[in-house]
Amino acid sequence: MEAEFGSEVFVDKAVAVYREFAKTGSVVNAKVSFLSQDNDKSGSAELSIVSSWSQRDLERNENRTFQRSHVTSYDATTKSFTNIRELSFPVEVQNLQLCTVSATGKIQAIIRNVPGSKGQEDKQFLEIWSTSHLLKSIDVQVCEKHGKIYEDFQFGCLAWSSSEQFLLYVAEKKLPKAVSYFERQKTDAPSDKPAPKKGAQFDFKDDWGEQLVSKSCPVLVIYDVITDEIRVLDNVPDYLSAGQACWGPDDRIVFVGWFHEPYRLGLIYCPMRKNALYSLSLDGNTLEQLSDIKYAVHSPRFNHSKDKLIYFAQDVGGTHNKCGRLMQYDWKTKSTSTIVDVVDIPERGGFPGIYVPRLFSDRNWTEDGKSLAFTTAWRSYQKIILVNCNNKSVKVLTTTPGCWTLLDVNKNIVLAQFSTPNSAPKLMIAVLSDDVPDGGLSWTPVAQTTDDSLEKEIVWEVMSFSRDESSDFQDEYEAIFLRPVVTDEKKLPLIVFPHGGPHVNFKSEFFLPIVCLCKLGFAVLCVNFRGSVGFGQASVNSLPGKVGTQDVRDVQYAANKVLENSSELDSSNVFVTGGSHGGFLTAHLIGQFPGFYRAAAMRNPALNIAVMTEISDIPDWCHCEGGYEFTHDSTPTPLMMSEMLEKSPFVYISQVKTPTLIFLGADDIRVPPSQGKNFYRILKAQGVETRLLWYPGNNHPIAKVDAESDVFVNMARWFFEHLQK
């Protein structure tokens, strides 16, 4: 940190650093296919790798998506890849929402959003492409069969049937037009359209909450490529929201159905909502439930022969994320078995269980159809594991420390993304063998967007903590510690960074704001306090009812320990930041430990759990983390409200002396911004230096490019201006 900098000079440097590293792209998806394969049993082949990448464009204030194409030679004898080459410059992909290629590779389907002109509503087009040209382009709104097609990962899908005649997707149900009691009926209205529903224009329409506010009644839709017919499958019960659909044997449709009744709760980041797996015939007349409703399920995937269906399952209710199970449904015997069960307390260094919010790839099975590869949290890392569904063994495919994400599996060729806190995301390729070595697979880099210039400038490590030196291994937790490499005796200011959730985790990945903070001279401590996922279910269960105490003390203990053990840190310049539950902890830390932190910054912080029970799309979160069971008719008693308030940062607000910066997304319904505004007003009334930044059009993550970049620069500036020089 160059203390002689003035504030404006520092801001210019922060902008320059952010601008430089915002160019770093990450892989959105990737597919590998065989272009050719020799028939002389040598096993050599030419592979095509097509990947989509996302990169921030600060000038246009948007995320740009572009496609890259690579070709490589593969030798099956040596299991090696040579002559990896990029065929052309990247090609930008515009307005593409969903895309899928048929099994034969002959046709491709695309859902494309076409922006409306002169204030008109955007349109969606369903496009069918051959390998050489556009075959069909259908304006789906003109057909008036349904509303907007779902493109989100929660419900959305786009899948070809095995015959390649039918295309399956999910869209908003089209409801009769709601009109006033006093609107006159048109006499020339088409007879095939449903009559308008009078007096219903002000009826409340429930939706699925944060980031899904336009999603209320998703339905399954079939498009017939031959006849051009679009057909909504009406036989799905009205109390279900259908999504994550795929094709099963005999063109049956398998989907996840979330229960509407008695009312919807926020679904994003909450994979434990009540639902079930269903099978539906193509004609829509036969519906069968495949899974037990005691489990919340997601990501159904068939093996190649379509006789085995796997999916992930968590216990319904409780914490919003937890250790899950890998389940298998035998299509022939109609029996269900557990392949990998919940891990309560893992062995030291051992498999900690499955934590999969969703599958990033639609191809996960090995060539023999016996094993499944997928990504899971593993303490402060993210790894790719291989599960044999016959003997139920679990093998690790990635042993290099960092964050690995599976992208594709095709005939035992595996694609993945890999990054670390000081290296940009890379597209990697490997070969699966019958016997995975203890050192994992041998991975070969294919592509990245920026050079690895940071490894000599930023160092990182994972640190373990235990607040009670005599406690069991299950009480350990971790933090990822990053710092710039120092060449002089100047000590580094430290930023303490607890994550949100609280039942998520920091992964050892490339994270733009933290990289930029290190480049500006700060050390950063990202704390995976007890209750984080990736450490076993016992760790997750330890936190509910103890928020505001256990998690706060875990973070503070980690901060004190790293200051004690790291001579390069300046203990007089410690800062704290976090978002959502991380903002909850930030507010607690500056209230419970006044004077310890020089300044604080919080994004959409949860500040009063008691009040959130009435204004958040996830009132059950307040009950669960407060230590209470939630039911849809739960009404907090005065005692419960009092205890929830006692666990909230608001009870310590009179002790706060720390300069506090607050970022609020105006459209946040997960932690409505009224919480942050009230906290800001009280701090001002108490004479505490504070600033509030308000971001219209942004919800809980504050993720739009212009807002995200503004948050970073203002946070960095706030900490710089409050350094003790």
Side-chain angles (χ1 to χ4, degrees), residues 168-219:
L168 172 66
Y169 60 89
V170 175
E172 181 68 16
K173 184 177 183 178
K174 191 171 185 64
L175 300 175
K177 183 180 179 182
V179 299
S180 165
Y181 286 115
F182 302 97
E183 183 169 318
R184 297 184 185 277
Q185 182 72 36
K186 293 182 179 180
T187 57
D188 58 346
S191 58
D192 61 336
K193 288 188 177 181
K197 190 174 181 182
K198 287 194 172 185
Q201 75 269 39
F202 300 116
D203 280 4
F204 172 70
K205 188 177 180 181
D206 205 3
D207 58 41
W208 284 107
E210 168 72 19
Q211 299 176 52
L212 297 170
V213 292
S214 62
K215 315 293 174 63
S216 180
C217 296
V219 292

Side-chain angles (χ1 to χ4, degrees), residues 321-597:
N321 203 1
K322 63 194 76 174
C323 189
R325 302 168 179 82
L326 178 63
M327 311 292 288
Q328 179 174 277
Y329 179 82
D330 190 302
W331 199 263
K332 294 178 180 178
T333 64
K334 297 186 181 299
S335 60
T336 301
S337 57
T338 301
I339 304 301
V340 179
D341 210 338
V342 170
V343 175
D344 192 43
I345 303 174
E347 296 179 1
R348 184 177 293 274
F351 173 57
I354 295 174
Y355 308 87
V356 187
R358 66 184 176 103
L359 285 182
F360 291 90
S361 169
D362 56 7
R363 298 196 298 196
N364 299 79
W365 288 91
T366 54
E367 189 173 16
D368 60 13
K370 296 178 181 178
S371 300
L372 187 83
F374 55 91
T375 302
T376 186
W378 192 302
R379 297 178 74 84
S380 296
Y381 304 99
Q382 184 166 281
K383 299 186 180 185
I384 299 173
I385 62 174
L386 183 71
V387 177
N388 186 305
C389 295
N390 290 345
N391 61 27
K392 303 183 180 182
S393 63
V394 177
K395 295 182 178 180
V396 180
L397 302 183
T398 54
T399 55
T400 302
C403 179
W404 292 85
T405 302
L406 181 78
L407 299 170
D408 191 29
V409 180
N410 186 11
K411 295 183 179 178
N412 290 354
I413 305 296
V414 187
L415 292 179
Q417 177 177 256
F418 170 65
S419 73
T420 69
N422 64 353
S423 65
K426 301 180 184 69
L427 178 61
M428 311 287 283
I429 191 168
V431 184
L432 267 172
S433 57
D434 293 334
D435 296 315
V436 178
D438 292 337
L441 301 184
S442 176
W443 292 89
T444 301
V446 175
Q448 61 189 104
T449 56
T450 54
D451 296 331
D452 274 334
S453 58
L454 287 174
E455 294 182 349
K456 296 180 180 179
E457 301 177 51
I458 299 172
V459 294
W460 68 279
E461 63 178 308
V462 173
M463 309 179 74
S464 294
F465 302 97
S466 179
R467 282 173 43 207
D468 181 355
E469 301 298 335
S470 63
S471 65
D472 295 334
F473 166 63
Q474 71 182 76
D475 293 321
E476 286 186 3
Y477 61 101
E478 293 180 347
I480 304 167
F481 179 48
L482 301 88
R483 62 174 177 82
V485 175
V486 291
T487 57
D488 51 36
E489 296 183 357
K490 291 181 180 178
K491 293 197 172 186
L492 300 170
L494 173 67
I495 299 173
V496 179
F497 194 167
H499 61 67
H503 306 293
V504 296
N505 73 328
F506 275 121
K507 301 175 285 289
S508 301
E509 63 183 333
F510 185 92
F511 187 30
L512 176 62
I514 293 177
V515 168
C516 292
L517 286 170
C518 286
K519 285 287 291 183
L520 292 172
F522 292 93
V524 185
L525 185 70
C526 303
V527 186
N528 284 322
F529 46 85
R530 284 177 295 165
S532 304
V533 300
F535 294 80
Q537 185 58 29
S539 177
V540 173
N541 291 340
S542 71
L543 185 55
K546 300 177 184 176
V547 292
T549 52
Q550 176 178 294
D551 46 3
V552 172
R553 292 170 186 170
D554 281 357
V555 174
Q556 186 65 19
Y557 182 85
N560 283 323
K561 278 296 182 181
V562 76
L563 288 169
E564 289 175 14
N565 298 329
S566 302
S567 59
E568 70 270 21
L569 296 180
D570 182 356
S571 60
S572 65
N573 279 310
V574 184
F575 303 88
V576 61
T577 187
S580 192
H581 190 85
F584 170 93
L585 293 176
T586 297
H588 261 300
L589 288 162
I590 60 177
Q592 294 191 39
F593 302 96
F596 185 86
Y597 296 96

Side-chain angles (χ1 to χ4, degrees), residues 145-161:
K145 296 288 187 177
H146 54 71
K148 288 284 188 179
I149 295 174
Y150 283 31
E151 82 295 345
D152 61 275
F153 72 82
Q154 184 65 55
F155 294 102
C157 72
L158 188 63
W160 287 103
S161 65

